Amino acid sequence: MGSAFVYAAARTPFGRFNGALAGVRPDDLAATALRGVLAKLPQLDPAEIGDVVWGNANGAGEDNRNVGRMAVLLAGLPVTVPASTVNRLCGSSLDAAMIGSRTVESGDADVVVTGGVESMTRAPWVLPKPSRAFPAGDVTAVSTTLGWRLVNPRMPKEWTVSLGEANEQLQERFGISRERQDAFAVRSHVLADAAWNDGFYDDLVVPVEGADLARDEGIRPGTTPEILAGLKPAFRPDGTITAGNASPLNDGASAVVLGSEAAAARIGADPIARVAGRAACALEPQMFGYAPVEAANQALRRAGIGWNDIGAVELNEAFAVQSLACLDAWKIDPEIVNTKGGAIAIGHPLGASGGRVLGTLAHVLRERRQRWGLAAICIGVGQGLAVVLENVSAA
């Protein structure tokens, strides 16, 4: 089997819930990211794309019915380009990249575009179908924006707690203080703001037509520990998790072009990084925030390297507490983690975040001239994903 390489990455700016991207349909966001990443490879004939694999978590509204295929059509690609949509909740677009890399490695396609999209603003309310005709009672509309919905009563109650409550339990288990969480959140805003000011994201982020949004909408460069300390706990009266040390609700899309080594001539560019290892891990649903720990360890083993080899980590910051729990378990230098900011500042549009962390990692490795890096993400209902990249220019 051959290797799969990252050739290009792009994403939209991430908008806040009911913010600058609220008027943009998710399938249009997906098409924007798809066009944006292909614009970076003008020599690539879109008809050469063997498959498009797209991630999406909610899929109950305008992103239903295979939003990956909708993006291909809306982006103006040839109708002969196939596409599928995968759902591994928060890890959907990282899962899409993992699937795409296997497709390239197996030789089933030389070029695969992967990515993901989420409009959490436009996620609809849904109604369950009645179990019998003409029910007389009222029916409750359920939001599909985030978390469990229409829960099967056979599920154990401890599995179906809210995402916030699950992370408060993680805080209790590992004793991660409110102060550490707030400091981690402040760092995310400071680094994201600095990365934008330094021009790092200029090559990664593509504008959304009709939206007045030049950069990620949630970044607050003036955030301080004192400001965050004044926020009330969001999930428990005496809890540690607040709106300031957790990722917000967001809208956005991301895309990554993967290809074989032999495809470089047709793509018209040299690869940025090689996909060296992948892994998925699962735990009890309420432990989802800790699931990246073993996923990363497995991915490193499959890549044939150890933590001492890793020069950069992109870990999706769903919550500060779960991010810190993972870093503590890995025993790594926190200064190599999310050096361009993380999801607490940038945002976490569920289906798009995996592609964001993977694309960011490839560019950080190249900028910092580090050989090995790891992208990881936690996933609701107890899962985690991780991918190891090798910077081919530093190999």
Side-chain angles (χ1 to χ4, degrees):
M1 293 179 67
S3 292
F5 296 84
V6 175
Y7 279 87
R11 66 174 178 89
T12 68
F14 286 177
R16 291 188 65 86
F17 186 84
N18 202 26
L21 298 182
V24 184
R25 290 174 56 112
D27 46 5
D28 285 325
L29 285 174
T32 297
L34 184 53
R35 284 193 300 266
V37 78
L38 292 179
K40 297 178 183 298
L41 304 169
Q43 189 173 316
L44 174 63
D45 179 356
E48 296 282 341
I49 298 170
D51 204 359
V52 172
V53 187
W54 214 254
N56 180 239
N58 285 331
E62 297 156 334
D63 47 2
N64 77 99
R65 308 300 292 173
N66 191 0
V67 70
R69 175 63 173 167
M70 301 305 175
V72 165
L73 298 175
L74 289 167
L77 272 64
V79 296
T80 53
V81 176
S84 67
T85 300
V86 299
N87 185 350
R88 205 190 286 250
L89 301 181
C90 305
S92 295
S93 52
L94 193 58
D95 200 17
M98 293 166 70
I99 293 168
S101 66
R102 295 187 193 103
T103 301
V104 171
E105 290 170 0
S106 68
D108 285 349
D110 265 350
V111 180
V112 177
V113 182
T114 71
V117 66
E118 210 74 55
S119 175
M120 300 179 80
T121 299
R122 298 174 74 93
W125 293 284
V126 298
L127 293 174
K129 286 188 175 180
S131 57
R132 59 185 176 83
F134 312 114
D138 296 333
V139 178
T140 301
V142 178
S143 172
T144 64
T145 300
L146 182 69
W148 294 83
R149 76 285 307 248
L150 304 177
V151 179
N152 191 312
R154 295 177 55 238
M155 286 280 189
K157 296 297 183 184
E158 64 270 20
W159 287 0
T160 62
V161 298
S162 72
L163 303 180
E165 170 58 25
N167 276 272
E168 288 288 9
Q169 293 179 17
L170 201 65
Q171 185 277 327
E172 288 182 326
R173 179 167 181 169
F174 293 106
I176 297 171
S177 70
R178 164 79 180 268
E179 290 72 23
R180 279 191 74 194
Q181 294 177 54
D182 286 350
F184 185 84
V186 169
R187 176 181 182 270
S188 185
H189 286 279
V190 169
L191 292 178
D193 180 57
W196 271 103
N197 292 339
D198 292 343
F200 174 82
Y201 286 115
D202 292 351
D203 187 48
L204 272 172
V205 177
V206 296
V208 178
E209 184 178 356
D212 184 16
L213 187 61
R215 71 182 214 166
D216 302 310
E217 194 172 11
I219 300 171
R220 296 179 176 176
T223 301
T224 65
E226 292 74 23
I227 291 174
L228 295 190
L231 298 179
K232 294 181 179 180
F235 303 101
R236 292 182 181 180
D238 60 346
T240 64
I241 299 172
T242 71
N245 58 34
S247 61
L249 306 178
N250 297 95
D251 310 327
S254 64
V256 177
V257 175
L258 299 169
S260 66
E261 189 171 18
R266 277 181 291 158
I267 292 173
D270 293 327
I272 303 171
R274 179 178 70 91
V275 177
R278 301 169 293 251
C281 177
L283 300 171
E284 298 89 343
Q286 69 274 26
M287 285 291 291
F288 76 93
Y290 200 66
V293 172
E294 184 54 28
N297 291 338
Q298 290 183 21
L300 290 173
R301 287 195 292 270
R302 291 169 185 174
I305 62 171
W307 278 110
N308 290 336
D309 299 300
I310 293 292
V313 173
E314 285 292 322
L315 172 64
N316 192 61
E317 300 167 355
F319 294 82
V321 64
Q322 62 83 207
S323 299
L324 289 166
C326 292
L327 302 190
D328 291 348
W330 292 330
K331 296 181 173 61
I332 58 174
D333 180 359
E335 293 306 310
I336 70 170
V337 179
N338 298 351
T339 57
K340 306 301 179 181
I344 290 173
I346 293 169
H348 179 21
L350 307 179
S353 289
R356 178 191 72 80
V357 296
L358 190 67
T360 301
L361 177 66
H363 282 74
V364 166
L365 288 174
R366 185 170 61 179
E367 179 192 72
R368 299 183 63 187
R369 299 182 181 179
Q370 295 291 326
R371 180 174 179 181
W372 300 100
L374 178 118
I377 194 165
C378 69
I379 302 165
V381 201
Q383 297 191 83
L385 294 178
V387 173
V388 174
L389 291 184
E390 180 185 22
N391 175 8
V392 291
S393 64

